[in-house]
Amino acid sequence: MTCDIVWLRDDFRLDDQPAIAAVAGRPALFVYIHDQRLQNGRPLGGAAKWRLERSLASLGRRLGERGARLDVVEGEADRILLALAAAAGAERALWSRRYEADAIALDRRVKAALRERGVEAASFNGRLMREPWDLARADGRPAGTFSAFWRRHRGLGPLPAPLAAPTRLVAAPWPAEAPRRTTIEALGLTPMAPDWSGDLAQGETPGEDGARATLARFLDRGLGDYADARDRLAPAATSRLSAALRFGELSPRRPATAVEAATAADPRLAAAADKYLSELGWREFSYALLYAHPDLATRALKAEFEAFPFRDDEPGFRAWARGRTGYPVVDAGMRQLWRTGYMHNRVRMIAASFLIKHLLIDWRRGEAWFWDTLCDADPASNPASWQWVAGSGADAAPYFRIFNPVLQGERFDPDGAYVRRWVPELQRLEASFVHAPWRAPAEALARAGVILGKTYPKPIVDHDAARARALAAFAAIRRA
Ligand code: FAD
């Protein structure tokens, strides 16, 4: 009996999954190969590993419900896939494309080797709304600004309708000669000693079912207010789908087309829908950048930033990572990240800006910290966003625009609810001081039980001095 192989990677769903749709009703092996080499040259971070385990478990259940089975193997993906294809006498091997240079190179090698052996090999778009090469300019590069990129994207017309999940799948038997299988649990993705994962993914349900339910809830209750509320820190005003998109529990075409359908039914949603779609657009822009710049996580897109006089400041980095900078909105964000593996987008911008501009610490260190601690840590969106904040990226925030963490906090968390939630030692401080406790009179601090430097840190840098230092550093690279 012949069979097909579906090689699963960051596309852990049945809905709108072209490789799985292509084998509906035919005997197939559905295989996940855990290969630590293939995350753009670095292993997955701790929080993302935790999330991966849950994504895989959910996919295993979903496949089981439709009559199929998830097989898990650990090791070098190319070697294992070729051995499996040979042992199974596979007719076809199918997968979703990847955009990291090392993964692309490996996929090309595997495709060529399979074809040489008479196995049909085909790849699909299972991760993006549109492929980077369909959006590139004549010189093969992505548009230089997001707005030009997004105009091209939208200009290609309606997205293809998402594919429905197949109703019946058929599991082929695991061949006797094939590489040895393991279990999801044996991959050791959840931390054990110590197990720090207790609060991870608060407010999220990993897996395809959870993602679909989250999307439905967002369409029902969140979309209408999205454009106005998305920057507010305390309410749950955004879709919380980033980790689901990262691991492909949801195809980006699904929220995109759902939001468009909601607008067609109620034109008052148009502005909110446009805003939401453009955020999905930033994800696509990040992937187009990663595709064009394989070293996006390690090299500044604007070459002059390679000469930026970053400082070694280990105590500063530690204070930032632990949420002990003395700037409440930064600390709240960093603690939310550590506890839950998630941080609100605006706080990501504020916290990243603080590390780079207030502390003059290299954006790559911050990117690596996020890579390790975010459940949605994404090989494209994470480095592209860090470079955007640093000023070295595509269509980046100008370097001289330096977020004032106090003003940002007061504007987007006016009653301090977000800070109070993640920085409990400031819980009882009046709203007028909660974003700048050092400005509070002694009686207000005493009433709230806050002793600066003891129960909560004093600011580790002065905002005005840090701002002046950052601008001077920037002026130095401009002169050079
Ligand atoms: P929503 O507001 O509901 O947005 C919908 C979807 O659009 C998101 O799920 C996400 O897939 C995408 N999206 C939204 N904003 C962006 C953006 N600026 N860039 C790229 N895609 C976006 N996002 C990640 O998915 N992974 C990362 O590793 C990541 N690292 C970041 C690092 C920094 C320094 C910054 C400033 C942003 C980063 N982002 C990253 C982007 C953004 O913060 C998150 O996608 C967003 O907060 C996720 O919450 P949500 O799903 O509720 O977003």
Side-chain angles (χ1 to χ4, degrees):
M1 182 176 77
T2 63
C3 75
D4 295 329
I5 297 175
V6 179
W7 181 15
L8 296 150
R9 317 94 62 88
D10 293 342
D11 50 1
F12 305 131
R13 63 176 184 277
L14 303 192
D15 175 67
D16 197 29
Q17 219 292 22
I20 291 186
V23 302
R26 294 166 52 107
L29 293 166
F30 300 84
V31 62
Y32 168 71
I33 307 172
H34 191 63
D35 183 346
Q36 290 278 18
R37 296 171 306 167
L38 294 176
Q39 299 295 330
N40 215 18
R42 56 180 171 179
L44 278 187
K49 276 191 198 153
W50 176 92
R51 177 68 190 220
L52 170 64
E53 176 165 334
R54 276 130 198 95
S55 255
L56 289 172
S58 149
L59 178 66
R61 281 192 299 275
R62 296 274 293 153
L63 285 168
E65 285 160 13
R66 307 287 159 113
R69 181 186 72 242
L70 178 66
D71 291 312
V72 177
V73 185
E74 185 167 19
E76 292 181 355
D78 38 356
R79 198 181 49 75
I80 288 167
L81 196 82
L82 293 174
L84 178 60
E91 198 169 308
R92 299 187 301 167
L94 312 170
W95 59 77
S96 302
R97 291 186 197 107
R98 300 184 283 196
Y99 305 91
E100 300 90 331
D102 52 357
I104 294 170
L106 182 132
D107 290 355
R108 282 204 184 118
R109 283 200 308 277
V110 172
K111 204 179 248 182
L114 285 168
R115 285 178 179 163
E116 247 170 50
R117 292 161 204 206
V119 182
E120 192 185 323
S123 55
F124 301 89
N125 175 3
R127 198 143 136 197
L128 298 174
M129 292 189 278
R130 298 215 183 269
E131 297 289 15
W133 44 90
D134 293 333
L135 298 159
R137 299 182 307 204
D139 64 1
R141 304 246 142 192
T145 61
F146 172 71
S147 51
F149 173 85
W150 193 228
R151 259 198 314 279
R152 273 170 187 269
H153 204 293
R154 303 294 280 161
L156 291 180
L159 291 170
L163 303 166
T167 46
R168 196 173 80 89
L169 295 168
V170 181
W174 189 256
E177 305 295 308
R180 210 161 52 82
R181 284 176 293 175
T182 184
T183 61
I184 298 170
E185 297 72 37
L187 298 176
L189 299 169
T190 288
M192 289 297 182
D195 179 0
W196 42 260
S197 65
D199 290 330
L200 282 187
Q202 244 181 42
E204 292 182 20
T205 313
E208 183 172 7
D209 289 334
R212 294 295 293 270
T214 305
L215 173 61
R217 217 169 28 244
F218 175 68
L219 292 170
D220 197 32
R221 293 188 231 144
L223 179 61
D225 239 6
Y226 179 76
D228 296 328
R230 63 183 282 276
D231 270 324
R232 280 191 242 129
L233 310 189
T238 61
S239 69
R240 287 298 296 265
L241 286 169
S242 48
L245 289 164
R246 159 67 182 84
F247 286 105
E249 297 162 359
L250 192 69
S251 139
R253 283 185 290 260
R254 194 48 85 183
T257 50
V259 155
E260 279 170 346
T263 313
D266 180 356
R268 286 170 306 175
L269 292 172
D274 274 356
K275 188 71 204 149
Y276 187 74
L277 286 168
S278 78
E279 295 309 320
L280 291 174
W282 275 99
R283 179 175 179 275
E284 303 266 307
F285 190 40
S286 303
Y287 271 89
L289 291 171
L290 176 65
Y291 184 66
H293 305 278
D295 50 6
L296 187 64
T298 51
R299 188 193 292 265
L301 293 184
K302 291 193 182 123
E304 67 270 26
F305 277 81
E306 284 300 310
F308 194 87
F310 289 119
R311 294 165 62 241
D312 277 332
D313 176 3
E314 215 38 51
F317 182 79
R318 268 203 308 277
W320 176 80
R322 290 176 182 174
R324 297 197 58 77
T325 65
Y327 284 90
V329 74
V330 174
D331 293 343
M334 296 307 293
R335 295 186 200 184
Q336 180 185 23
L337 173 62
W338 182 250
R339 291 263 304 276
T340 69
Y342 179 84
M343 195 198 295
H344 187 284
N345 177 59
R346 176 145 295 268
V347 195
R348 292 187 203 205
M349 293 195 286
I350 301 169
S353 168
F354 188 88
L355 183 80
I356 302 165
K357 299 181 185 179
H358 283 72
L359 300 180
L360 289 189
I361 292 177
D362 196 322
W363 60 269
R364 281 162 278 233
R365 286 211 68 190
E367 196 274 343
W369 183 260
F370 272 31
W371 177 257
D372 197 28
T373 52
L374 279 171
C375 284
D376 65 26
D378 187 279
S381 301
N382 197 42
S385 301
W386 273 91
Q387 291 225 36
W388 185 89
V389 176
S392 63
D395 203 6
Y399 185 86
F400 54 79
R401 204 172 288 154
I402 296 174
F403 279 128
N404 178 329
V406 176
L407 296 181
Q408 289 285 313
E410 287 171 351
R411 180 159 173 213
F412 296 111
D413 183 33
D415 57 2
Y418 178 76
V419 160
R420 279 180 235 284
R421 172 148 188 224
W422 298 108
V423 186
E425 58 269 39
L426 299 179
Q427 199 137 43
R428 290 189 288 132
L429 197 57
E430 290 159 38
S432 45
F433 302 117
V434 80
H435 290 290
W438 62 92
R439 289 187 193 148
E443 317 81 74
L445 289 174
R447 267 199 309 277
V450 176
I451 307 172
L452 286 180
K454 202 159 174 210
T455 62
Y456 182 71
K458 293 179 182 164
I460 58 168
V461 281
D462 170 72
H463 171 72
D464 291 335
R467 184 172 188 281
R469 184 175 67 175
L471 292 176
F474 182 55
I477 62 160
R478 290 190 69 190
R479 274 198 305 276

